[in-house]
Structures are given as C-alpha cells and as structure tokens.
Amino acid sequence: MFPPIEPYDHGHLDTGDGHLVYWEVCGNPEGKPALVVHGGPGSGCGPGSRRRFDPERYRIILFDQRNCGRSLPHASDPAADLSTNTTHHLIADMERLREHLGVDTWLLYGGSWGSTLMLAYAETHPERVSEMVITGVTMTRRSEIDWLYRGVGRFFPEQWQRFREGVPEADRDGDLLAAYARLVSDPDPAVREKATHDWLAWEDAVISLEVNGTPNAYSDRPDASRLAFVRICSHYFSNAAWLEEGVLLRDAHRLAGIPGVLIHGRFDLGGPLENAWQLAQAWPDARLVVMPDSGHTGSETMHKEIAAALAEFAQ
C-alpha cells in the first residue's frame, strides 16, 4: 500500500435521471488512467483503494455507484427510488464518467460485485479497457446468488436458519432476497433495522472462517452505510443484476486482447474458486492466480499480488 493520498479533483456527475454520482481523481494527472470499481453492490469507495496504485504512475479514478457512498440520493433514505439503479445504468455511468474526464482507455480494478460490473462494462465497451485486475471473481449468475444466500448454508446451518427466519413465515420457502428487499424499504425504521442486522449477520457468517481476512467486514460500518448496502444488495440480487444467466461467461470472448489478472482466494466460500477458473478458461488473455491462504476478504499475500499486478500494468 502506498502512503495516504487526497484527491486533486472531485465532483458529482449528473446522470440526467435524478442521480448525482460522486467521483474523485488523485495521483498523477498525466499518469495511466485507472478506475476503481467497488463491490457490494452498495459498498461505496474508501480511501484505502487510492493507496493500491503508485501515485507517480497512475491517474487514479474512484466513483461511488448509484445511491451509495457520497452519491445522491442515498439508499439509506427509504424514500430513495432504486428503480433506476441497475447494472445497465451503472455501465452507462462509467462511460459517462470516462467521457467527462477525457479518458480514452483505462485500467479497471475491483473485486466481488465490482468484478461483475467490470466484466459487464468491458464486454460492452472492450475498446475502452486497457487491462483488468480482478479479485474475488463473481459473475452474479443465479447459481452464484443461490449458493451465497442458500447453498453455503450447509456450512453454517444455524446462522442460515436465522437468516431465513428473518423474513415473514410466508416468504421463507420462496424468494428470501426479494423478501429482504421489501423489509429494508419498509416505512417502519425498526423493521428496516432488524432486516439490515439479519442480512449483515449472514454475510459476516460466510466470511467468519477466513483466518487471514477481515472479521465482521459487513456489519462494521456506519448505520447509514449498512442500510444502503443491504437495500442495494437485495435490490440487485433479487433481480439477478438484470443480466441474462451466464451472459458474462458466454461473452468473455469479447475480452480478447485485454490483459487480465484474476486473483482469487482458495477459501472464498461465498464466491467459490470455480467462478474464477471458468472465467480464466473463457478469457484467453487472463491469468488466474490462486491465493492459498485467502478467502473473500483477502490476506497480506493477496494484497501483495494485487500490488504486483498493478505495478506490471503501470509500465
């Protein structure tokens, strides 16, 4: 990690449909453009992401996806309408931001949900992507969503039972994620808070075996960020991110010519290694690096591998 750095420029991008998307730029104004694509969906960007890049060699661009972080309106407000927050809206926001900042091509860096958004953007605009560095590969297929919120419960049966029982009884054998999406948009703040707590407790359970990772990574955030995260996650995952099943893997041939490094923890229970392996088979210019000591939230060795990949592409 490089020393802390502050942006030299920032602002809100007016998308024209009621959203103001926060962005910032730091590092070298003449450096190689790189865009940080955060996870969640709904996590927002933190200052630590700036420190992944050599500030002398990179022009580091960060943005908060719709309704989270410093973007407005914020999803912690139950009145905030999420209907214009979809994967396709986010792809358009990224392209609008690229044009606004006068970038021709940029490196994409991110992980988890961010990897899905990066892949969707790159397959739509391959001519605008110079390289990609992806950690915790996901493609948000329905099978992956079902694994994360149901299948992996075989390792945590008690915690998954509590997650299931967090929704009304009539919804427990149906679409749990849609039920949670309704609960975290309820007018009653107590209902929203309980649903947020129950969702984050499940997310924390899934990463709880990662001895080199970050415990309670999901619940250890401010209240407004917690609610926004769960609102946006449940909104996206109950709609399978508005992606045709398997489309990102099917269209990976569109990434030909874009060098990529896929960095994945062998002990990532929420996003199994199989996801990264399948993508590496379909993307001829990608290199898969399996981290033997890492899960979804990473480790020191994973951080070093990320640094090495970003240093390689800074040439």
Side-chain angles (χ1 to χ4, degrees), residues 22 26 59 64 85-86 99-100 114 129 146 159 161-163 177 179-180 182 184 205 231 236 260-261 268 277:
Y22 175 84
C26 49
R59 181 186 179 194
D64 291 326
N85 187 343
T86 71
E99 294 173 350
H100 177 73
V129 180
D146 184 69
Q159 293 90 338
Q161 181 176 316
R162 286 199 292 267
F163 178 67
L177 307 188
Y180 269 100
R182 292 190 293 271
V184 291
R231 275 199 77 197
Y236 267 75
V261 180
D268 189 338
W277 186 85

Side-chain angles (χ1 to χ4, degrees), residues 19 28 57 71 139 167 180-181 187 193 196 201 203 211 232 287 308:
H19 290 270
N28 182 353
R57 302 163 80 184
S71 291
M139 292 174 278
V167 306
Y180 269 100
E193 174 55 33
T196 298
E203 298 273 13
V211 295
I232 296 171
R287 172 169 59 91

Side-chain angles (χ1 to χ4, degrees), residues 89-302:
H89 287 99
L90 300 185
I91 292 171
D93 292 347
M94 292 166 67
E95 187 62 1
R96 188 179 289 109
L97 179 60
R98 183 192 63 77
E99 294 173 350
H100 177 73
L101 296 176
V103 172
D104 183 34
T105 62
W106 47 14
L107 176 148
L108 302 183
Y109 163 71
S112 192
W113 154 257
S115 63
T116 292
L117 182 54
M118 290 162 60
L119 291 167
Y121 174 87
E123 291 179 10
T124 304
H125 301 287
E127 73 284 357
R128 298 304 180 186
V129 180
S130 57
E131 302 92 4
M132 299 171 73
V133 177
I134 303 178
T135 64
V137 176
T138 72
M139 292 174 278
T140 315
R141 294 171 290 184
R142 287 165 179 80
S143 58
E144 295 175 55
I145 297 168
D146 184 69
W147 170 257
L148 177 56
Y149 294 104
R150 188 180 303 272
V152 75
R154 68 191 64 182
F155 294 101
F156 307 99
E158 180 181 355
Q159 293 90 338
W160 188 79
Q161 181 176 316
R162 286 199 292 267
F163 178 67
R164 178 176 176 267
E165 292 177 351
V167 306
E169 187 173 355
D171 294 318
R172 291 174 187 169
D173 293 321
D175 189 338
L176 293 178
L177 307 188
Y180 269 100
R182 292 190 293 271
L183 291 173
V184 291
S185 296
D186 193 277
D188 186 341
V191 172
R192 297 197 301 271
E193 174 55 33
K194 182 180 184 304
T196 298
H197 174 272
D198 291 344
W199 180 288
L200 295 174
W202 170 247
E203 298 273 13
D204 282 342
V206 175
I207 62 170
S208 62
L209 302 182
E210 299 182 10
V211 295
N212 294 316
T214 306
N216 303 319
Y218 294 96
S219 58
D220 282 352
R221 59 184 76 199
D223 287 346
S225 297
R226 293 164 75 248
L227 175 57
F229 175 83
V230 177
R231 275 199 77 197
I232 296 171
C233 275
S234 58
H235 171 62
Y236 267 75
F237 295 152
S238 62
N239 288 286
W242 299 272
L243 293 172
E244 180 186 343
E245 180 67 357
V247 65
L248 299 182
L249 187 61
R250 184 197 71 198
D251 289 351
H253 62 89
R254 294 182 57 81
L255 304 174
I258 301 175
V261 180
L262 311 177
I263 306 171
H264 204 98
R266 185 172 294 282
F267 298 110
D268 189 338
L269 279 180
L273 177 58
E274 178 185 41
N275 299 332
W277 186 85
Q278 290 175 341
L279 180 60
Q281 304 308 300
W283 180 0
D285 297 284
R287 172 169 59 91
L288 174 61
V289 181
V290 180
M291 306 308 302
D293 68 342
S294 302
H296 196 69
T297 61
S299 65
E300 284 302 314
T301 53
M302 180 179 279

Side-chain angles (χ1 to χ4, degrees), residues 12-21 65-67 71-73 81-85 89 93:
H12 281 91
L13 185 68
D14 190 340
T15 65
D17 58 358
H19 290 270
L20 296 174
V21 172
Q65 295 160 30
R66 292 187 178 208
N67 299 119
S71 291
L72 299 170
D81 180 13
L82 303 188
S83 64
T84 53
N85 187 343
H89 287 99
D93 292 347

